[in-house]
């Protein structure tokens, strides 16, 4: 049976930031993102795997029968760029990203260089929209 690699852990979020984020500006951004995500989501930060700070969780079940738990939203202050994690499949995401500021994006991640490159009010909208989308989509399992 498939076992997800990224699971919630008991690791300390602050210790993770202190131990792994070397660049002072990136560290400052990580602490500001921590505040924004916690205030906006209403969930406390938790480590997911070894490098993702997640807020809230949901249980999913796919048509294939595969199921598991995942973070609602989160971020990871990586060396090159900071990864922001939002819901995949949300039709409203692209509209918000158009107003977001300087970023690149993949399927579930949005990548930023620094916090000053983006509109933090739009970030708050992305967080809220992603949580609402996932909680609605997987309502019957949560």
């Amino acid at each position: 049976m498939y076992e997800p690699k990224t699971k919630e852990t008991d690791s300390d979020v602050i210790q993770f930031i202190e131990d792994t984020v070397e660049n002072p500006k990136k560290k400052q951004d990580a602490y500001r993102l921590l505040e924004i995500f916690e205030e906006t989501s209403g969930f406390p930060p938790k480590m997911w795997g070894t490098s993702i700070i997640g807020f809230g969780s949901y249980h999913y079940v796919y048509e294939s029968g595969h199921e598991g738990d995942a973070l609602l939203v989160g971020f990871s202050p990586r060396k090159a760029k900071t990864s922001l994690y939002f819901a995949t499949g949300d039709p409203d995401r692209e509209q918000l990203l158009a107003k977001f500021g300087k970023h690149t994006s993949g399927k579930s991640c949005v990548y930023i260089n620094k916090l000053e490159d983006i509109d933090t009010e739009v970030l708050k909208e992305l967080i809220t929209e992603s949580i609402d989308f996932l909680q609605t989509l997987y309502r019957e399992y949560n």
Side-chain angles (χ1 to χ4, degrees), residues 25-76:
K25 177 68 177 121
K26 201 168 269 298
K27 188 175 285 192
Q28 180 183 354
D29 283 357
Y31 281 115
R32 182 66 185 120
L33 285 169
L34 194 63
E35 290 174 15
I36 291 169
F37 272 82
E38 187 168 12
E39 286 172 13
T40 306
S41 73
F43 295 103
K46 301 281 187 174
M47 289 302 302
W48 283 75
T50 58
S51 62
I52 299 173
I53 301 168
F55 300 82
S57 66
Y58 67 99
H59 187 77
Y60 61 86
V61 179
Y62 296 146
E63 287 181 19
S64 65
H66 170 77
E67 63 182 284
D69 297 302
L71 57 123
L72 284 168
V73 291
F75 72 95
S76 182

Side-chain angles (χ1 to χ4, degrees), residues 26 29 33 37 75-84 86 97 100-105 109-120 123:
K26 201 168 269 298
D29 283 357
L33 285 169
F37 272 82
F75 72 95
S76 182
R78 305 203 187 265
K79 196 167 213 147
K81 295 184 179 217
T82 297
S83 302
L84 307 174
F86 303 113
L97 287 176
F100 189 50
K102 187 177 174 183
H103 73 282
T104 56
S105 58
C109 293
V110 174
Y111 306 97
I112 62 170
N113 288 320
K114 53 190 182 288
L115 207 48
E116 63 196 39
D117 287 343
I118 63 162
D119 184 328
T120 55
L123 172 59

